[in-house]
Amino acid sequence: MREASSEGGGGDSVMVGSTDGVTGEPTLTVVVPAHNSGSALAHSVRTLTTAWPDLSTEVVIVENGSTDDTLATARRLAAKHPDRVRVICSETGLGRAYAAGIRAARGSTVLLTADDLPFGVSDVSSWTVAGGPGAEQVFIGSKAHPHSRVRRSLLRSLMTSVFSLERRVVLDMHIGDTQGTVFAPRPWLLAQLPHLKEGGYLFSTELLYAATLQTVPVTELPVELDLTTRRASTVSLRDAWQMFIGLLQLRRRRESLRAASR
C-alpha cells in the first residue's frame, strides 16, 4: 500500500430503468449508490457534471430499494443531463448497488463513491495528480492519509481506529481506510465481481482485500471531508463486533479472492 502526497458483489443485481443518453466511452464512470437519498442527489449530480470540464465523465446513479422519491428524482436529473447521467436499479444493499454500477460502467476507470459526495471533489483532484486516467492500479480516497483534512467526533475517531486494528489483525491489511472512495480500472473490477460476496457496507473492504492478495498496487489519496453535506450517522460497539465477524468471513474466502487475478 502506498500513499500519494497532497503535493505531487456482492449478490445478483437487477438492472432496470434508463440506460439511454450517454454515448461513447468516457474516461471516468462515477457510480453513485442511491438509497432514500433524493435530497442529496441534485447537489451531487450538479457537482459531478460541472467540476471537470476537461475530463470525460459519466454518472451512473444506482437506486437500490428506496422508499422515498429517490428514483423519480434520479430520473429527472438524468433527463436534465442525458449525455452525462444514467439511472439503473439494483437489489437493496450498498455492495449490490456498486456491483450493478460496475457492470453498467463504460469508463476506463470507475469511481465508487457515496450519494452525498463526502469528499466533495477533493478525491478526484488527488487522483488526477497521482496518476489519473490510464493508471493501471487502485486508488483510495483515504481519510487516513496524513495530508487529509478530516474533522470528526471523538467516538467516530475511536471506532475508526478499532476498525483499522481489526483489519490488521484479521486480514493483515495495512490500508489505512477501506471505507473511502475507490478508483479502479474497469476490466479489473469486472474480473473481481464473480468472486465478491459482500452485498453491504463491507463491499469496498472485500474489493481492497482482493487487491492486496493479488499484489495489485493500492495508493491512498488525501481528501477533505465535507461535513456540511453529510447526513447524521451513528457508530456503536455492535458495529465493531459486526465488522469483526464480517472480516472473519472475508478471510475464509481469501483463496477465491486471490484466484480472481487468474
Side-chain angles (χ1 to χ4, degrees):
M1 181 274 293
R2 295 179 291 168
E3 293 178 342
S5 170
S6 60
E7 300 173 339
D12 294 329
S13 299
V14 181
M15 296 178 55
V16 299
S18 172
T19 57
D20 298 328
V22 181
T23 59
E25 293 187 358
T27 300
L28 178 67
T29 294
V30 185
V31 176
V32 180
H35 178 81
N36 291 344
S37 53
S39 60
L41 282 179
H43 171 76
S44 297
V45 168
R46 182 167 60 250
T47 299
L48 292 171
T49 54
T50 61
W52 315 287
D54 298 327
L55 182 63
S56 176
T57 307
E58 71 165 347
V59 179
V60 177
I61 301 173
V62 189
E63 191 284 320
N64 61 109
S66 299
T67 56
D68 63 0
D69 64 345
T70 293
L71 181 57
T73 299
R75 285 175 170 165
R76 283 197 300 269
L77 292 168
K80 185 177 179 180
H81 305 278
D83 59 333
R84 302 289 295 279
V85 180
R86 291 186 288 144
V87 180
I88 64 174
C89 295
S90 79
E91 296 175 0
T92 304
L94 181 63
R96 295 184 180 95
Y98 279 148
I102 291 168
R103 293 187 184 100
R106 297 173 180 169
S108 56
T109 299
V110 178
L111 165 59
L112 306 178
T113 187
D115 57 3
D116 57 353
L117 304 184
F119 305 142
V121 297
S122 61
D123 52 348
V124 179
S125 297
S126 295
W127 171 70
T128 57
V129 171
E136 293 297 323
Q137 67 173 93
V138 176
F139 294 93
I140 313 166
S142 171
K143 300 181 292 295
H145 191 284
H147 292 112
S148 290
R149 286 184 280 186
V150 178
R151 291 180 301 156
R152 50 191 165 191
S153 68
L154 180 61
L155 175 60
R156 182 164 289 280
S157 296
L158 175 61
M159 295 306 295
T160 297
S161 298
V162 170
F163 294 158
S164 179
L165 178 61
E166 288 179 341
R167 289 193 302 270
R168 287 175 181 265
V169 171
V170 178
L171 301 181
D172 193 28
M173 288 184 69
H174 297 274
I175 295 173
D177 181 13
T178 63
Q179 299 298 311
T181 54
V182 177
F183 299 79
R186 178 164 57 96
W188 180 78
L189 287 171
L190 289 171
Q192 308 312 304
L193 288 184
H195 302 267
L196 302 179
K197 304 300 181 183
E198 289 295 331
Y201 72 98
L202 276 179
F203 180 89
S204 60
T205 300
E206 182 177 30
L207 185 65
L208 295 170
Y209 185 41
T212 59
L213 290 172
Q214 298 168 26
T215 65
V216 172
V218 176
T219 298
E220 299 192 52
L221 305 171
V223 296
E224 297 179 13
L225 182 59
D226 187 354
L227 296 176
T228 63
T229 63
R230 296 294 289 171
R231 295 192 298 271
S233 61
T234 59
V235 291
S236 65
L237 290 176
R238 183 170 180 269
D239 295 323
W241 175 249
Q242 290 180 331
M243 169 72 84
F244 181 74
I245 297 301
L247 295 178
L248 288 176
Q249 293 172 340
L250 284 185
R251 190 172 69 177
R252 295 190 188 103
R253 299 200 296 272
R254 60 184 178 271
E255 292 308 318
S256 174
L257 294 172
R258 182 182 288 115
S261 64
R262 300 192 292 271

